[in-house]
Amino acid sequence: MNIDSDTEEGTMTGKVIVTIAPTGGFLTRADNPYVPVQPEEIAEDVRRCHDAGASMAALHARRPDGQATCDAATYRRINALVRERCDIVINNSTGGGVNGDMVARTADGRAVVDWEQRLRGLDGGAETCTLDAFTAYATGGGTEVLMDTPSSRARELARLMREKGIKPEWEALNPAHLAQDVTTLIREGFDDAPHLVNIVLGLHHVFQNAMPYSPRTLQYMVDLLPAGSVFSVSVAGPEQTRGLTHALLLGGHVRVGLEDNAQYAPGRTAENVRFVERIVRIIGELGLEPATPAEARKILGLPAPSRDTAGEAA
């Protein structure tokens, strides 16, 4: 949780990591004209969000045609362009999306998220990467795509992240993901505390077995967190502001951005920075402060970034 290990009694720091998720793997310009999809657009969008108070960026990559990819070269370019502009903590997705390079077909014609493409997302030079240690169908645009992550694949992702020095961000869409997948792999030694866990609610219309936000659901999932966890909360849909305020009251960190909400308010689109500005206002009203990237790294147990982490932007 949001605990400062430097204090004698483990009191709250009052510092909140605000993560901006600017693009995601689903959203198109038809959904929101402000969604950034190309590296330069994403990097400039992240800079504005950093300046408004975000200290971490959850990045998805897109091909030139706007379709999803986990291509390592594309991630390296995005990451390098972001680092030219600000020192925000960078997280790359290994889920990617449900179109473009991310979709493969089985022999019987079923659509699945391509496993080899997911692994490529580990080579973009990010400080943290998402670790979706679960299996579920995603439904959208009239298609069903299977995110197929049996325990053997979850262990492979965790092992590779440890070997590459990447901090996993454990994704949990329902209580079972915490009680089984995340807890099991942490107990097996694949991640050292503090454990970064992202509780994702509100995707029940997209992912099979995902949960809507309710105060009871969020409290229960927080209660299931492995010892030594730092948790962030993502809430998709109209309950976002209430859900994230609840997360702050529970001592958590928060994620905002167009990945989670195509609309700023019913019938109203807005740029990513507006979501950051709104949650920063709420953080301030609660007597808390947005963490700087350096403070976020301290909370997450991350080293200071090196200049050559992501390679060249050119």
Side-chain angles (χ1 to χ4, degrees):
M1 299 183 187
N2 187 13
I3 302 296
D4 185 348
S5 60
D6 290 341
T7 60
E8 290 183 0
E9 299 179 359
T11 54
M12 303 291 287
T13 65
K15 297 290 186 176
V16 177
I17 299 171
V18 176
T19 297
I20 178 62
T23 304
F26 295 82
L27 199 64
T28 69
R29 290 265 168 79
D31 302 309
N32 187 311
Y34 298 113
V35 61
V37 294
Q38 298 308 311
E40 291 81 3
E41 297 170 347
I42 294 170
E44 189 57 28
D45 200 285
V46 169
R47 181 200 61 79
R48 289 193 293 269
C49 292
H50 164 270
D51 292 349
S55 51
M56 186 169 177
L59 304 179
H60 281 67
R62 300 287 185 92
R63 304 185 313 199
D65 64 358
Q67 297 279 292
T69 186
C70 275
D71 174 62
T74 304
Y75 266 138
R76 285 194 295 270
R77 177 161 175 76
I78 295 170
N79 296 343
L81 288 168
V82 168
R83 289 185 173 114
E84 286 180 355
R85 290 164 169 79
C86 60
D87 66 342
I88 201 164
V89 179
I90 293 179
N91 171 286
N92 287 167
S93 172
T94 65
V98 294
N99 55 36
D101 294 340
M102 301 310 303
V103 179
R105 293 280 175 178
T106 63
D108 60 359
R110 290 180 299 120
V112 297
V113 180
D114 187 85
W115 176 243
E116 295 302 322
Q117 189 68 209
R118 289 177 67 185
L119 295 181
R120 292 187 181 99
L122 298 175
D123 293 321
E127 297 165 82
T128 74
C129 283
T130 59
L131 205 165
D132 303 277
F134 59 82
T135 295
Y137 271 99
T139 303
T143 62
E144 292 181 339
V145 182
L146 177 63
M147 170 79 78
D148 189 12
T149 320
S151 297
S152 58
R153 285 185 169 180
R155 284 187 177 86
E156 183 177 359
L157 269 174
R159 176 182 60 79
L160 288 171
M161 287 189 194
R162 195 163 184 83
E163 290 176 358
K164 295 173 184 289
I166 298 168
K167 184 74 174 175
E169 180 187 84
W170 304 91
E171 307 298 304
L173 278 63
N174 68 39
H177 295 159
L178 288 169
Q180 184 180 56
D181 308 303
V182 174
T183 298
T184 297
L185 291 170
I186 286 174
R187 285 177 177 171
E188 290 179 3
F190 287 106
D191 183 32
D192 298 325
H195 311 296
L196 172 57
V197 180
N198 185 32
I199 297 173
V200 184
L201 299 172
L203 289 180
H204 51 295
H205 299 300
V206 178
F207 279 95
Q208 189 178 29
N209 301 323
M211 298 286 288
Y213 165 75
S214 74
R216 181 173 295 181
T217 297
L218 179 55
Q219 179 67 69
Y220 181 45
M221 292 182 71
V222 169
D223 290 343
L224 289 173
L225 287 166
S229 293
V230 171
F231 75 97
S232 184
V233 176
S234 307
V235 179
E239 292 291 322
Q240 184 187 69
T241 301
R242 286 185 287 272
L244 295 188
T245 302
H246 183 197
L248 293 168
L249 294 174
L250 293 175
H253 305 277
V254 291
R255 188 178 92 174
V256 296
L258 294 179
E259 176 175 353
D260 299 327
N261 279 285
Q263 295 188 341
Y264 182 81
R268 179 184 170 192
T269 59
E271 297 173 281
N272 277 299
V273 69
R274 303 303 170 214
F275 291 87
V276 175
E277 291 169 343
R278 178 167 63 188
I279 198 63
V280 166
R281 288 196 298 270
I282 294 170
I283 288 168
E285 291 292 338
L286 293 175
L288 306 169
E289 297 180 15
T292 66
E295 290 168 337
R297 290 185 178 94
K298 182 179 179 182
I299 292 168
L300 298 175
L302 294 170
S306 61
R307 295 181 60 86
D308 60 350
T309 303
E312 296 296 328

